[in-house]
């Protein structure tokens, strides 16, 4: 949604109660609200922020501009969860109300330190000429949800980066706090900077070096870098904007990617023994993935189901964006697997044998098995004419194809209407989550993942099996 700068950066206090009520009423009119995925109450939801564990609960903020489906004066909205499935908004907000975040509280991370949660984020500040000064800043959140911002800047803009310097992620490696920050150099190439907390004091940071992760610099900016550890192996998650397609085949406006490494050498700012760059998600919408390691060693991630610079059908209802399911990472035979957290099974309210079906509300899970040497063709969000989201799983030739060209209201067609990936030519499993206007598809136990949006018509709520040897179970989900 294109709105003038003066609207997008209008102070929160200037919006009247009548204007806010009108926006909320428009949001309520949308036919596409998700059931078990987190969406904004109003306005834009984009990057997941501050994903962490604190005070006995999982914490997840999301970046938000509350007055429409546009990128404006951003705040963080706080949610918490006991099970990583049900996230409840608490009313706590990280507002753009300080000299160091006057033009937006941009993305960042969080970590429990003592009895408080440390919030590490980018403050967006612009001068009278609209020149941006990106500041890496911090705040404490106590157990009552009260936020106390630091008065000092933790990391100033280095001389070798442009105004694009953001998204600090704090992590603990062998008892020492480190942070990585996404950056762009003056030659317009993306890279990542590594810092460490002096004497483990998160109010004081020193530069270690530019992170050596085997990147080529073909991208013009690296957003949302996150380093997590899976079975002690470092996994770098990042969003390289403008990445050369000769380096990675992708169709989305911006990719969401990862590399697996053998070890991390913080003294030399180096990740050692990395894989090639790999798509984290093969679908239409997954971006700005944020992850962290729990105290018991699990690596959990969550993504924004949306992309920058893309318009969505919900824009006319004054909202946009959703959070993905939370997924746990594992590595098997050198491959990264993503699986929804186990508590997702608790949403199953009924089950039946898989087959053609007219669902009541497009809110279900499928667990399917496709026989080897077969080609299964399914249509989800199907109408009586067979229009909908076409899913083809070909175990003979070894590929999966998703086609949304006949699924509901079309958008972002400049980036194509199909997505695909390769799979082994063997019996294949597919776990599929459908939630009103969202799909998340996990192939072979999360070896390959497709995430995306579909905005169906009122008559598009069926499941059709067109061909193939496919068996499985349908679960109605109740949130």
């Amino acid at each position: 949604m294109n709105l003038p700068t003066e609207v997008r950066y209008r102070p929160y206090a200037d919006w009247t109660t009548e204007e806010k009520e009108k926006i909320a009423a428009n949001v309520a009119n949308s036919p596409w609200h998700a059931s078990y995925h987190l969406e904004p109450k109003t306005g834009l939801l984009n990057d997941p922020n501050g994903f962490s564990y604190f005070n006995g609960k999982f914490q997840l903020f999301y970046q938000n501009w509350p007055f429409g489906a546009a990128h404006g004066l951003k705040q963080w909205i706080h949610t918490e969860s006991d099970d990583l499935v049900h996230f409840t908004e608490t009313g706590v907000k990280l507002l753009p109300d300080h000299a160091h975040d006057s033009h937006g509280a941009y993305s960042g991370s969080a970590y429990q330190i003592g009895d408080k949660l440390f919030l590490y984020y980018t403050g967006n500040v612009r001068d009278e000429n609209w020149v941006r000064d990106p500041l890496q800043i911090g705040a404490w959140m106590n157990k009552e949800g009260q936020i106390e911002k630091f008065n000092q800047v933790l990391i100033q803009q280095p001389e070798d980066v442009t105004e694009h310097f953001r998204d600090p992620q704090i992590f603990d490696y062998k008892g020492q706090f480190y942070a990585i920050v996404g950056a762009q150099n003056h030659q317009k190439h993306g890279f990542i900077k590594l810092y460490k907390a002096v004497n483990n004091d998160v109010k004081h940071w020193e530069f270690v070096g530019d992170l050596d992760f085997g990147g080529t610099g073909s991208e013009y900016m690296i957003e949302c870098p996150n380093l997590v550890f899976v079975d002690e192996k470092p996994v770098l998650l990042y969003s390289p904007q403008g990445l050369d397609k000769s380096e990675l085949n992708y169709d989305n406006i911006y990719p969401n990617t990862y590399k697996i490494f053998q070890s991390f050498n913080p003294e030399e700012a180096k990740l050692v023994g990395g894989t090639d760059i790999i798509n984290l998600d093969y679908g239409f919408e997954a971006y700005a993935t944020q992850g962290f390691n729990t105290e018991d060693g699990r690596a959990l991630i969550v993504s924004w189901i949306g992309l920058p610079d893309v318009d969505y059908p919900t824009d006319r209802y004054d909202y946009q964006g959703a959070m993905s399911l939370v997924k746990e990472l594992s590595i098997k035979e050198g491959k990264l697997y993503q699986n929804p957290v186990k508590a997702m099974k608790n949403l199953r309210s009924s089950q039946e044998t898989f087959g053609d079906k007219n669902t009541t509300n497009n809110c279900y899970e499928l667990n399917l098995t496709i026989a080897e040497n077969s080609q299964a063709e399914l249509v989800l969000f199907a109408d009586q004419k067979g229009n909908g989201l076409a899913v083809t799983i070909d175990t003979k030739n070894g590929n999966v194809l998703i086609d949304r060209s006949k699924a509901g209201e079309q958008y972002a067609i400049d980036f194509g209407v199909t997505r695909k990936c390769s799979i082994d030519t063997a019996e294949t499993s597919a776990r599929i989550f459908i939630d009103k206007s969202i799909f998340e598809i996990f192939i072979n136990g999360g070896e390959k993942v497709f995430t995306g949006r579909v905005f169906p018509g009122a008559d598009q709520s069926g499941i059709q099996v067109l061909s193939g040897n496919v068996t499985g179970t349908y679960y109605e989900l109740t949130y």
Side-chain angles (χ1 to χ4, degrees):
M1 179 182 290
N2 293 319
L3 293 173
T5 300
E6 58 268 25
V7 174
R8 293 185 291 112
Y9 286 87
R10 182 180 170 190
Y12 284 23
D14 290 356
W15 291 85
T16 67
T17 299
E18 182 180 11
E19 286 174 315
K20 290 186 280 189
E21 288 177 347
K22 184 178 179 181
I23 291 168
N26 194 30
V27 173
N29 286 330
S30 169
W32 297 307
H33 286 296
S35 173
Y36 54 89
H37 286 80
L38 180 63
E39 289 185 316
K41 288 185 176 178
T42 62
L44 179 86
L45 174 154
N46 60 311
D47 298 4
N49 293 157
F51 192 27
S52 56
Y53 189 80
F54 168 65
N55 195 26
K57 292 187 177 182
F58 293 98
Q59 313 291 317
L60 176 62
F61 296 81
Y62 65 83
Q63 204 174 102
N64 170 251
W65 185 61
F67 305 113
H71 293 267
L73 185 59
K74 299 289 185 66
Q75 63 178 345
W76 286 19
I77 301 289
H78 177 243
T79 73
E80 61 183 17
S81 175
D82 292 315
D83 62 358
L84 293 167
V85 174
H86 299 84
F87 284 90
T88 303
E89 290 194 12
T90 65
V92 174
K93 299 178 181 180
L94 182 70
L95 293 166
D97 59 2
H98 191 279
H100 293 150
D101 58 18
S102 59
H103 290 72
Y106 278 25
S107 290
S109 54
Y111 199 97
Q112 179 171 346
I113 298 174
D115 61 353
K116 295 180 180 178
L117 187 67
F118 171 58
L119 308 180
Y120 202 0
Y121 67 106
T122 300
N124 189 37
V125 178
R126 291 184 182 272
D127 66 15
E128 63 276 8
N129 298 314
W130 208 245
V131 175
R132 188 198 332 246
D133 186 10
L135 306 173
Q136 312 315 314
I137 54 180
W140 294 117
M141 187 178 85
N142 66 18
K143 292 181 179 180
E144 287 71 45
Q146 297 165 323
I147 291 175
E148 177 189 358
K149 295 183 178 181
F150 299 178
N151 286 320
Q152 75 266 42
V153 175
L154 302 183
I155 303 175
Q156 297 277 3
Q157 179 181 349
E159 291 184 358
D160 62 341
V161 305
T162 69
E163 65 176 14
H164 297 290
F165 178 57
R166 54 183 174 267
D167 312 337
Q169 185 227 357
I170 180 174
F171 61 96
D172 180 329
Y173 183 70
K174 297 185 176 179
Q176 170 67 50
F177 287 128
Y178 292 92
I180 51 177
V181 186
Q184 179 191 72
N185 66 24
H186 292 292
Q187 290 72 45
K188 302 299 195 312
H189 299 302
F191 67 118
I192 299 170
K193 286 190 169 289
L194 175 69
Y195 297 83
K196 67 183 290 187
V198 180
N199 298 320
N200 255 4
D201 178 359
V202 295
K203 287 194 173 184
H204 298 91
W205 293 83
E206 65 180 16
F207 178 59
V208 178
D210 295 338
L211 185 65
D212 180 357
F213 63 98
T216 66
S218 75
E219 63 278 296
Y220 61 76
M221 174 63 188
I222 290 180
E223 291 197 310
C224 305
N226 271 240
L227 190 62
V228 294
F229 295 85
V230 182
D231 298 332
E232 299 187 355
K233 288 187 175 5
V235 177
L236 181 67
L237 311 164
Y238 60 111
S239 298
Q241 293 188 324
L243 184 75
D244 193 305
K245 293 191 177 182
S246 66
E247 190 171 345
L248 179 72
N249 184 26
Y250 65 95
D251 293 312
N252 294 341
I253 184 172
Y254 306 121
N256 200 179
T257 64
Y258 73 91
K259 287 186 174 187
I260 303 173
F261 297 86
Q262 296 303 307
S263 62
F264 174 46
N265 183 338
E267 290 77 18
E268 296 183 10
K270 185 172 185 177
L271 289 163
V272 181
T275 63
D276 291 337
I277 187 171
I278 302 170
N279 281 306
L280 183 67
D281 194 290
Y282 291 86
F284 296 91
E285 278 104 3
Y287 195 74
T289 299
Q290 184 161 103
F292 81 102
N293 283 103
T294 62
E295 285 190 356
D296 61 6
R298 288 180 296 160
L300 302 174
I301 65 168
V302 64
S303 304
W304 168 28
I305 303 180
L307 284 165
D309 306 322
V310 172
D311 295 328
Y312 288 84
T314 56
D315 290 4
R316 64 179 180 268
Y317 294 101
D318 287 324
Y319 79 105
Q320 184 192 114
M323 283 291 134
S324 74
L325 301 180
V326 176
K327 292 157 279 191
E328 184 174 346
L329 300 181
S330 59
I331 296 175
K332 303 173 186 175
E333 298 180 351
K335 296 178 180 179
L336 187 71
Y337 286 75
Q338 308 170 58
N339 266 300
V341 293
K342 294 178 181 178
M344 279 302 301
K345 293 181 179 179
N346 296 335
L347 300 187
R348 296 172 178 173
S349 58
S350 65
Q351 71 180 70
E352 58 189 81
T353 300
F354 172 73
D356 286 7
K357 182 177 178 62
N358 288 318
T359 75
T360 56
N361 59 1
N362 278 326
C363 189
Y364 58 87
E365 173 191 349
L366 303 175
N367 276 5
L368 307 179
T369 300
I370 298 86
E372 63 180 346
N373 201 34
S374 174
Q375 185 181 73
E377 296 179 273
L378 318 174
V379 180
L380 312 175
F381 301 98
D383 63 19
Q384 294 298 317
K385 297 179 180 179
N387 299 312
L389 181 71
V391 179
T392 303
I393 303 173
D394 187 340
T395 60
K396 182 178 181 179
N397 298 300
N399 59 68
V400 177
L401 177 68
I402 312 294
D403 184 341
R404 68 178 183 189
S405 63
K406 297 181 179 179
E409 194 165 320
Q410 296 295 293
Y411 67 99
I413 57 176
D414 288 349
F415 305 103
V417 294
T418 63
R419 295 292 185 268
K420 62 183 178 181
C421 75
S422 60
I423 57 172
D424 292 337
T425 53
E427 181 180 273
T428 296
S429 68
R431 191 178 181 194
I432 301 174
F433 291 88
I434 301 296
D435 187 4
K436 305 294 183 65
S437 58
I438 295 170
F439 64 87
E440 297 193 55
I441 301 174
F442 300 85
I443 303 295
N444 287 331
E447 179 186 349
K448 300 287 176 69
V449 181
F450 291 84
T451 303
R453 300 298 299 254
V454 166
F455 297 94
D459 61 341
Q460 290 189 308
S461 60
I463 300 171
Q464 295 180 10
V465 183
L466 301 183
S467 67
N469 187 352
V470 54
T471 58
T473 306
Y474 167 94
Y475 298 96
E476 195 83 24
L477 299 185
T478 302
Y479 187 69

